Amino acid sequence: MSEEKRTRLDRRPEARSFTVERLLRHVRDGEIRIPGFQRPLRWRTSHVLDFFDSVYRGFPVGTLLFSKGKATAATVQLGAFRVDAPEMSDALFVVDGQQRVTALAAAILHPDERPRGGVHAIWFDLENERFRRLEVATPPPTWIPLNIAGNRRATLKWAAEWPLRTERPELIERAFDLNETLEKYEIPGYIVDRASEAALRTIFKRVNSSGVPMKESEVFQALYGGEVPRPIDAAIARIQSETAFGAIDAEWFLRCLKSVEGLAPRDKFRDLEENAVDAEAVRRTEISLLRTIEFLVEDAKIPHFRMLPYSLPLIVLARYFHLHPDPTARARRLLARWVWRGALSEAHSGSSDATVRDLTSRVVEDPFASIEGLLRTVPAAVPELARCRDVRWNGRFAFSRAVAVALFHRRPRDPATGDPVTREELQSLLDERELGEVAVDALNGSHGVIGGRVLLKDRDTLSLLKDAPAEVLASHLLDETAAAALRRGDADGFLQARSNLLDVWLGEFYGALTGMEESDRLPITEIVRRVDTMAAAS
């Protein structure tokens, strides 16, 4: 029997009805806490408006669930509302209802006199009896903010000062009715007293199976966070800091984690048995991704995540480097061929669960058998590359990214200083800019094709390029013909000359990386090992 099925509460939950007024008193006193396993806020303005409309109409808004327990002193923030909460032994941690509690507190306790712009800047249109978000500087005179309407004393003060109080007394009555409705509205809830972590995890899994869906990475971080509330986010930050390769999306990290742990791509963490995964899975995946990124930079020659043509290889390589943390130079060379043959042939363009399952199943305990299996999924001969004169640039597309990689490995020089752009400089630039802001159009966008792109660390130096020394021009794949056309503003002449040079360089660069002139045979040592194994077996 699983741990989930054995887990029971020592005490039955206390059923309680919370008025909004009482709930907000708990918030102001710092008693309401948001536990570390909770997901980020996902409600948009439409959800908040619908929630308050339900309260106003007397509709049910669901049940709240709290866990009573000890809490350290902390600053609690719900929207724009902040409170310095003291240490206490009986704080109420929100297990289910974070979005609703936050909506109430952030709108009704909003600290601004005239809340505007944010998702919780909620006002009530007294004329039309509708909740609105204020987005303009001056609201209509018949609108009242909820941080006034939700407080009896503030509503009295507003009524006494409202310019239309003598002309529209019925709206004054409506404001008081709104205040009464908000403060006295009751929300049912349960309080679980000092439940075990296992019980809370089970409760959390079950009550968060509906409503605004959680991303898989959020579910994982909630269930397996342990002492680190958001372990995937922390791992991603460490990887980015250690490698300068750029930030990996949390959902892609999770796909890599499933690969490392041998889980099926479609496995849902809320459905797994209690011991199917542990918190150390994040660390194992982090270590594997560090090795993967080192390989991508050093062997596949891809300096940054923004230049990775397709993300699919991350999932497969994470498993490979988990099982084979220190492959030979020959193995790494063959893996680089798999990466680039898949990218240039577009074999890696799909990342469906079926594709991931097929590729990861080929990664086995034998490192070279794994590579042989992967190489069978990509063409042995990559199709002839498209001519750079004929393809428009798009930094989200694989071919544009592949061209950017090749441009970088020409060691492009800064037209102002003559110094090559270093990998560290490129990585720093791509942390802040889109790829198209680094691989810039030498023609300032007049044609927009790949053949016109040059890689610069400062766009302002583009004007210096046409008069740069020969070695700087050569580093950008510009000969005198291309430079002369650029100087006289001959766009067609420039693109013809430059694209021809770039086409030749791409053929040389990717010919080497894909091993088009070489055999994919295994090293002699591996062949001998297999012969000896077969002989011993016979």
Side-chain angles (χ1 to χ4, degrees):
M1 183 181 294
S2 71
E3 185 65 27
E4 178 179 311
K5 292 179 180 178
R6 287 197 301 268
T7 300
R8 298 187 65 180
L9 296 176
D10 294 332
R11 306 178 187 176
R12 290 185 178 275
E14 174 192 350
R16 184 184 294 183
S17 182
F18 294 88
T19 63
V20 168
E21 182 180 29
R22 180 182 179 188
L23 195 63
L24 294 180
R25 190 183 311 127
H26 288 313
V27 171
R28 285 194 298 268
D29 292 343
E31 294 178 57
I32 301 290
R33 305 294 181 97
I34 305 298
F37 61 67
Q38 279 288 10
R39 56 177 164 166
L41 293 176
R42 298 284 297 281
W43 270 14
R44 300 185 296 275
T45 300
S46 60
H47 295 106
V48 177
L49 294 176
D50 285 348
F51 170 73
F52 278 107
D53 185 67
S54 293
V55 171
Y56 184 65
R57 292 166 179 258
F59 294 172
V61 296
T63 303
L64 303 176
L65 179 62
F66 298 98
S67 173
K68 183 185 292 187
K70 184 177 180 180
T72 59
T75 298
V76 177
Q77 181 154 358
L78 299 171
F81 174 77
R82 293 165 59 98
V83 62
D84 292 326
E87 180 179 356
M88 57 183 63
S89 61
D90 55 356
L92 297 176
F93 291 88
V94 182
V95 178
D96 187 44
Q98 179 197 10
Q99 314 284 346
R100 287 165 286 165
V101 170
T102 300
L104 287 168
I108 297 177
L109 302 181
H110 201 296
D112 295 347
E113 183 177 348
R114 297 164 72 87
R116 178 165 69 97
V119 68
H120 299 116
I122 307 301
W123 293 56
F124 186 72
D125 178 351
L126 292 166
E127 186 97 63
N128 298 296
E129 295 186 75
R130 293 187 62 183
F131 291 91
R132 313 274 192 174
R133 186 179 81 165
L134 181 64
E135 298 180 5
V136 296
T138 305
T142 57
W143 286 21
I144 182 174
L146 290 202
N147 60 355
I148 289 178
N151 182 288
R152 183 72 174 177
R153 185 175 299 176
T155 303
L156 286 167
K157 184 175 184 295
W158 170 87
E161 298 173 354
W162 190 43
L164 301 179
R165 60 187 179 277
T166 56
E167 299 173 39
R168 303 296 304 274
E170 78 280 7
L171 296 188
I172 293 282
E173 289 300 318
R174 190 167 291 167
F176 284 122
D177 178 63
L178 172 63
N179 168 257
E180 178 83 7
T181 299
L182 289 175
E183 288 195 334
K184 304 308 179 186
Y185 184 87
E186 294 187 359
I187 305 177
Y190 289 98
I191 298 177
V192 179
D193 194 356
R194 293 167 177 80
S196 68
E197 182 179 352
L200 284 180
R201 284 184 176 182
T202 301
I203 294 169
F204 183 85
K205 285 167 67 175
R206 294 183 178 179
V207 300
N208 281 285
S209 59
S210 60
V212 178
M214 297 176 73
K215 294 180 179 179
E216 268 288 275
S217 60
E218 294 169 346
V219 173
F220 180 90
Q221 296 192 114
L223 297 177
Y224 302 101
E227 295 181 0
V228 181
R230 301 189 63 77
I232 290 178
D233 293 347
I236 289 172
R238 287 192 297 269
I239 291 172
Q240 185 173 11
S241 174
E242 291 183 36
T243 66
F245 191 70
I248 297 173
D249 180 80
E251 294 303 305
W252 276 95
F253 184 100
L254 193 67
R255 298 185 78 181
C256 293
L257 184 147
K258 289 181 178 180
S259 174
V260 166
E261 296 298 302
L263 299 173
R266 291 187 179 182
D267 282 343
K268 301 297 183 184
F269 286 101
R270 70 171 82 248
D271 299 328
L272 294 178
E273 292 291 333
E274 188 72 26
N275 298 319
V277 177
D278 58 60
E280 286 301 307
V282 172
R283 182 58 180 164
R284 289 190 290 271
T285 305
E286 178 183 346
I287 292 170
S288 181
L289 280 173
L290 287 171
R291 295 171 181 145
T292 297
I293 290 170
E294 179 190 14
F295 159 78
L296 289 172
V297 172
E298 299 296 335
D299 298 270
K301 308 300 181 185
I302 301 170
H304 195 276
F305 189 71
R306 289 189 188 274
M307 287 181 161
L308 183 64
Y310 297 112
S311 298
L312 173 64
L314 278 179
I315 304 173
V316 183
L317 292 171
R319 180 154 183 80
Y320 185 90
F321 281 96
H322 172 65
L323 295 177
H324 311 294
D326 189 24
T328 66
R330 178 63 177 172
R332 296 170 77 94
R333 191 174 305 117
L334 292 174
L335 276 177
R337 292 180 186 178
W338 172 75
V339 169
W340 279 113
R341 290 180 191 178
L344 299 175
S345 69
E346 301 183 0
H348 291 167
S349 60
S351 58
S352 66
D353 289 344
T355 299
V356 171
R357 185 169 57 250
D358 173 57
L359 291 175
T360 53
S361 70
R362 295 169 184 267
V363 181
V364 293
E365 295 295 333
D366 185 319
F368 281 102
S370 302
I371 294 172
E372 287 177 311
L374 292 175
L375 285 174
R376 284 195 290 270
T377 67
V378 295
V382 174
E384 185 176 346
L385 300 180
R387 287 176 51 80
C388 293
R389 175 67 191 272
D390 301 329
V391 182
R392 295 190 65 81
W393 169 272
N394 188 323
R396 297 190 301 273
F397 289 0
F399 187 59
S400 294
R401 294 183 176 200
V403 170
V405 171
L407 288 177
F408 172 69
H409 285 285
R410 283 288 301 186
R411 293 179 55 80
R413 294 176 177 269
D414 186 335
T417 64
D419 297 329
V421 178
T422 67
R423 189 169 76 197
E424 291 73 22
E425 288 173 330
L426 178 67
Q427 290 170 330
S428 178
L429 289 169
L430 289 177
D431 281 343
E432 300 175 358
R433 305 180 192 175
E434 295 295 329
L435 183 56
E437 298 177 73
V438 179
V440 300
D441 189 345
L443 298 172
N444 280 315
S446 60
H447 280 66
V449 299
I450 285 178
R453 292 280 164 164
V454 292
L455 198 149
L456 297 174
K457 64 180 179 182
D458 187 349
R459 189 189 187 98
D460 292 340
T461 63
L462 182 60
S463 61
L464 305 176
L465 186 60
K466 59 182 181 293
D467 298 313
E471 63 271 17
V472 173
L473 291 172
S475 73
H476 290 280
L477 290 163
L478 299 175
D479 60 8
E480 182 51 39
T481 301
L486 189 61
R487 283 193 289 270
R488 65 175 181 268
D490 178 5
D492 289 336
F494 168 77
L495 285 174
Q496 184 63 48
R498 180 27 168 41
S499 295
N500 289 340
L501 294 168
L502 183 52
D503 289 339
V504 171
W505 171 238
L506 290 179
E508 294 175 359
F509 182 70
Y510 285 115
L513 278 173
T514 57
M516 298 312 297
E517 302 297 328
E518 302 178 29
S519 167
D520 291 338
R521 66 170 177 79
L522 303 180
I524 296 298
T525 53
E526 175 62 15
I527 295 173
V528 171
R529 185 192 68 80
R530 292 188 178 186
V531 170
D532 290 344
T533 300
M534 292 174 62
S538 61

